[in-house]
Structure formats: structure tokens, C-alpha cells
Amino acid sequence: MKKYFLLLLILFPAVEISLFLISSKIIGILPTMLVIVLTSALGAYFARKQGMEAFQKVQRDLQYGKMPGGAIVDGFCILIGGLLLLIPGFLSDLIGALLLIPMTRKRIKPLFERWLRNMSNRNRYTIIR
């Protein structure tokens, strides 16, 4: 897992910089900068709006005695998506938008659930007497 993270840490900025250069060559520097600012503003707006809805759903589930697992994972996806939209870059904006759109988030959610389950199981130890 650490190898993949290191590879991602190196490749992700390289791809972002390449996309900036290609975009600025095709549409110009000023339009590229405006697109980046616009996507950041839209990302902040939608992340706040959907984040509040997810928070209210968690509260409703708890109020009715239900486990809010799905709503928590939705909130996690919305948080990550919003953060990715705030980071300048086209690739991060694409991934962030996919996490904020409910239809695509529904397909990505099982991956996050599996990852969270694996992370929680990794630190468990059984003591046998």
C-alpha cells in the first residue's frame, strides 16, 4: 500500500501540471485560471450543501435509533470530493466531482466501505487464553 501511495504522490502532481500546461496552450492562461477558480468555488458550494444534508441524515438516523453507516460514508465521500475540488487541478476536480454527484458516488461508495472495513480490521487483535 505504501508503494502505491508514494507512486500516487509522485504521479498525481505531474499529471496535474501536464494538464495545466496543455489547457493553457489550448484555451490560454487566463481562461485556465478562471476555470480553476470557478471549479473551486462550485466545489465549496456543493460540498457545503451536500455535507449539511448528509449531516442531517446522520442525525435523523440516530434520532430514530438506526445505524447511520451509509450516511457517514456519504459524508466521507462528500468531504473528500469537496477537498479535491478545492485543490487546483483538472484531475482532482474530475475525481472530486465524481464523489459529489450522487449517481457516481453510489458506485464509488462500496469501495470506500471496503477500504474503511479493511482499515478497521487491520488493527484488531484477538487474545486467546
Side-chain angles (χ1 to χ4, degrees):
M1 182 73 171
K2 291 179 185 179
K3 289 185 265 185
Y4 296 119
F5 183 72
L6 182 61
L7 185 64
L8 182 70
L9 198 61
I10 293 169
L11 287 179
F12 197 80
V15 170
E16 291 284 17
I17 291 169
S18 299
L19 290 173
F20 278 136
L21 293 173
I22 292 168
S23 173
S24 64
K25 189 170 241 176
I26 293 172
I27 64 173
I29 294 173
L30 188 60
T32 299
M33 298 303 285
L34 289 174
V35 167
I36 291 168
V37 170
L38 181 67
T39 57
S40 292
L42 285 172
Y45 170 75
F46 284 117
R48 182 171 183 235
K49 182 177 182 255
Q50 290 184 8
M52 291 303 293
E53 290 171 6
F55 181 70
Q56 290 169 352
K57 183 166 178 8
V58 168
Q59 285 184 326
R60 259 193 319 273
D61 286 351
L62 289 173
Q63 186 177 9
Y64 292 116
K66 293 180 1 182
M67 288 299 292
I72 290 175
V73 175
D74 267 342
F76 183 70
C77 289
I78 291 166
L79 173 70
I80 299 298
L83 289 174
L84 285 171
L85 278 168
L86 289 174
I87 295 171
F90 294 112
L91 183 61
S92 62
D93 288 347
L94 175 67
I95 296 169
L98 289 175
L99 288 171
L100 286 181
I101 298 169
M103 185 173 61
T104 57
R105 184 173 59 235
K106 193 183 305 183
R107 298 206 185 275
I108 296 171
K109 217 166 96 167
L111 299 173
F112 274 118
E113 289 171 345
R114 191 172 342 140
W115 179 75
L116 288 171
R117 199 173 311 113
N118 288 340
M119 292 301 288
S120 68
N121 288 337
R122 185 175 295 167
N123 295 324
R124 287 191 185 168
Y125 300 100
T126 304
I127 300 173
I128 302 173
R129 291 184 193 209

